[in-house]
């Protein structure tokens, strides 16, 4: 008892913490209290300050669980120590987690995203901007997370909290660490069931925090940043030279009769989500799925490519964007925009055109952080990024479906910003309603579903039809606002909508008994339509893919691509190599198709036996070598951040990420000011009279359409 007194001092309430056989003691209580506090602070902030979008019981459960494992492991470090050190260590580990939480609360308020090591490192502008604006965004309640630390420090300093001199036995400390680890594995296991590819595909930092927690996110991000900076460090200007040598060997001349033909026009990219080529002219019960797009496809001034393939990997939409903006492939290891978009140097279309007097803007009805667009677009040189926060309609839950604002509302709501863009502009509209799982509320369904019997497939034509209607309304508006004739339109499908897991349904859609690898390769075709007044239209059978978009458009605009690191080729060039490389190394040429290790005659679809076909054998060896070199060289550009070595180019200087800011207030002020400084927008052309009233939509969500 004397020993006990010596350890705990006097006082009856202190008896609470007396050590019993299980090791329950003052230090255990201190550990548990800190664990509870860290959990509480994190969880409350999850609910109050972050928009993690947890849906359903499982995700809500993970939100409750996920702060606990790392808190146990971190705070548990203190349990390995004795005396005062143990308490202060636990306190310090609480403080570290709290500072991380606090910093993220502030950062999130401004950028709707979590801090990354890339951002905190020197390369990025956001860190600077944040420190400038910190006073404006901070709220007194943010400091509540430190209250417990102050109280606990006082308790320790003034010796109100009894000190257990012996600490707990090492094996209990070890068991605690193991418990933390086990819980972490449970969390990860459950999360992986709900969202496969969470870490490999890395969609959005919000997802990682939602499923795994803030500390796991920090660890994951730190590890990724380390790996990236390592490959970056090893790269040199010589590596870029080697890549350029490869590109030079495979270069083709632009088609001079098209070069510069659309010079100076606005450019509007319309990203048709999950839109496949087979939908063009497709009918269900005799009714066209996409009448507006079909008419556009067959327009006399539209060049439509019917052998155009998507080339995305796991990064899906973001890979399509990477190719479309930069003529660089996505990575086989997940989204390049997410992994490298923040830190890398790019020579992207918005940046290049920006230096030719264009104003650039991306429009999308999902949160800005998805696919790390909010950071990547700065590296690409986008002047504006109108994401979900800019769309008042997106605040109403019923106006969203799947990943964001419904297309009709999205395009209508975009008009108020579009009309303010100084011309010429480069605008990209990223639609989203035609996205897996192809759900649409009843009031918006105006087309019969297919009857393949596969539930995930049968709604596809309905959301595609909805997208088509939205597109039709948007085009009518552009005509009314005087933005049609002076704009070069580029429409493309980003990737398949129906995955290969649905082969029986695919066969039914295509009117076949079954599908083979050749059919599946064809099923990777997506539309590419280029429309401009004066452009010679028609269906173009040239084989190409998303990687070719940038050089094709730049040539039409008469912007020289000389010496630029682009992996695609001008689709109008008579010497286009017509070799389509898929991200997994498969390929298609007008003669042969290689898909999933099978070879086919591209024109007839007949399967070929490579071992008994010398012509195929030698051709396949050559094409495969090209495909492999194409992919690995492109990967080197991204993983080595090679474009940072591309300096002193005559027609292009490197993009300064720091000069871009997508905070709503600032962006809207800049847009407003540009009406005076550069009065070339549609709004300015209409003497400040808004054109938004010209937008006609039948969207049932819009008040005048409600009955
Ligand atoms: C989300 C949207 C969807 O913002 O672009 O991306 P996806 O799932 O098609 O890659
Ligand atoms: Mn997509």
């Amino acid at each position: 008892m004397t020993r006990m007194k010596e350890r705990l001092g006097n006082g009856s309430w202190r008896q609470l913490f007396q050590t019993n056989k299980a090791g329950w003691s003052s230090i255990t209580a201190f550990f548990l209290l800190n664990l509870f506090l860290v959990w509480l602070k994190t969880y409350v902030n999850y609910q109050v300050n972050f928009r993690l979008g947890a849906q359903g019981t499982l995700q809500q459960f993970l939100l409750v669980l996920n702060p606990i494992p790392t808190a146990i492991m971190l705070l548990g470090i203190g349990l390995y120590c004795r005396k005062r050190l143990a308490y202060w260590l636990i306190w310090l580990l609480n403080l570290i987690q709290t500072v991380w939480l606090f910093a993220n609360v502030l950062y999130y308020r401004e950028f709707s995203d979590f801090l990354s090591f890339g951002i905190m490192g020197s390369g990025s502008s956001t860190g600077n901007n944040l420190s400038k604006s910190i006073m404006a965004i901070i709220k007194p309640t943010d400091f509540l997370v430190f209250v417990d630390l102050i109280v606990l420090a006082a308790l320790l300093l003034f010796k109100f909290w009894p000190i257990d001199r012996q600490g707990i036995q090492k094996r209990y400390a070890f068991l605690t660490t193991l418990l933390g680890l086990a819980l972490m594995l449970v969390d990860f296991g459950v999360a992986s069931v709900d969202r496969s590819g969470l870490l490999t595909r890395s969609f959005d930092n919000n997802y990682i925090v939602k499923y795994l927690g803030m500390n796991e996110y920090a660890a994951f991000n730190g590890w990724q940043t380390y790996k990236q900076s390592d490959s970056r460090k090893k790269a040199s200007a010589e590596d870029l030279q080697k890549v350029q040598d490869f590109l030079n060997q495979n270069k083709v001349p632009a088609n001079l009769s098209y070069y510069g033909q659309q010079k100076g026009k606005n450019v509007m990219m319309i990203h048709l989500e999950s839109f496949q080529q087979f939908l063009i002219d497709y009918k269900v019960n005799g009714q066209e799925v996409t009448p507006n797009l079909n008419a556009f496809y067959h327009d006399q001034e539209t060049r439509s490519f019917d052998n155009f393939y998507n080339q995305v990997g796991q990064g899906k939409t973001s890979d399509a964007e990477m190719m479309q903006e930069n003529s660089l492939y996505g990575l086989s290891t997940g989204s390049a925009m997410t992994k490298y978009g923040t830190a890398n140097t790019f020579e992207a279309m918005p940046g290049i055109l920006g230096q030719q007097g264009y104003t650039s803007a991306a429009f999308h009805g999902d949160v800005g952080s998805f696919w790390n667009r909010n950071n990547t677009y700065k590296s690409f040189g986008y002047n504006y990024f109108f994401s979900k926060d800019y769309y008042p309609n997106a605040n109403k839950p019923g106006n969203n479906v799947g990943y964001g604002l419904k297309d009709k509302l999205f395009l209508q709501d975009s008009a108020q910003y579009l009309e303010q863009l100084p011309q010429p502009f480069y605008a990209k509209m990223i639609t989203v309603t035609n996205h897996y799982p192809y759900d649409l509320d009843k009031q918006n369904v105006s087309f019969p579903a297919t009857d393949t019997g596969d539930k995930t497939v049968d709604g596809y034509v309905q959301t595609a039809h909805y997208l088509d209607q939205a597109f039709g309304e948007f085009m009518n508006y552009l005509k009314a606002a005087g933005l049609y004739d002076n704009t070069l339109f580029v429409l493309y499908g980003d990737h398949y909508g129906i995955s290969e897991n649905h082969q029986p349904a695919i066969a039914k859609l295509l009117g076949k008994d079954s599908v083979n690898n050749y059919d599946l390769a064809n099923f990777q075709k997506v539309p590419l339509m280029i429309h401009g007044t004066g452009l010679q239209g028609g269906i173009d059978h040239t084989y190409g893919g998303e990687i070719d978009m940038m050089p094709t458009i730049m040539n039409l605009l008469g912007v020289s691509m000389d010496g630029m690191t682009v992996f695609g080729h001008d689709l109008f060039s008579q010497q286009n190599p017509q070799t389509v490389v898929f991200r997994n190394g498969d390929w298609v040429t007008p003669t042969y198709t290689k898909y999933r290790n099978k070879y086919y005659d591209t024109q007839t679809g007949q399967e070929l036996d490579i071992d008994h076909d010398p012509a195929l054998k030698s051709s396949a060896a050559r094409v495969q070598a090209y495909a492999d070199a194409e992919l690995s060289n492109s990967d080197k550009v991204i993983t080595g951040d090679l474009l940072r070595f591309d300096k002193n180019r005559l027609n292009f200087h490197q993009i300064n990420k720091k000069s871009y800011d997508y905070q709503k207030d600032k962006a809207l002020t800049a847009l407003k000011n540009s009406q005076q400084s550069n009065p070339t927008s549609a709004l300015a052309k209409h003497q400040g009279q808004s054109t938004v009233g010209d937008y006609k939509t039948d969207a049932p969500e819009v008040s005048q359409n409600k009955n």
Side-chain angles (χ1 to χ4, degrees), residues 552-608:
T552 306
I553 296 156
M554 288 306 210
N555 282 332
L556 282 173
L557 295 175
V559 178
S560 165
M561 290 274 88
D562 258 0
M564 288 284 204
T565 308
V566 295
F567 284 82
H569 300 92
D570 176 14
L571 289 170
F572 289 97
S573 169
Q574 278 126 345
Q575 292 171 52
N576 187 295
Q578 301 200 70
T579 304
V580 183
V581 177
F582 293 117
R583 183 56 258 191
N584 64 1
D586 285 343
W587 43 262
V588 175
T589 71
T591 327
Y592 300 120
T593 294
K594 182 203 168 209
Y595 204 72
R596 309 251 180 266
N597 282 323
K598 294 238 190 299
Y599 295 86
Y600 299 89
D601 180 318
T602 301
Q603 298 308 319
T604 64
Q606 195 198 341
E607 191 176 337
L608 303 170

Side-chain angles (χ1 to χ4, degrees), residues 273 315-317 364 366 370-371 373 403 432 435 494-495:
E273 179 56 45
K316 304 285 288 290
T317 294
H364 186 43
D366 189 10
F370 204 89
W371 291 132
R373 289 183 176 107
Y403 285 89
V432 83
H435 192 289
D494 62 342
H495 49 75

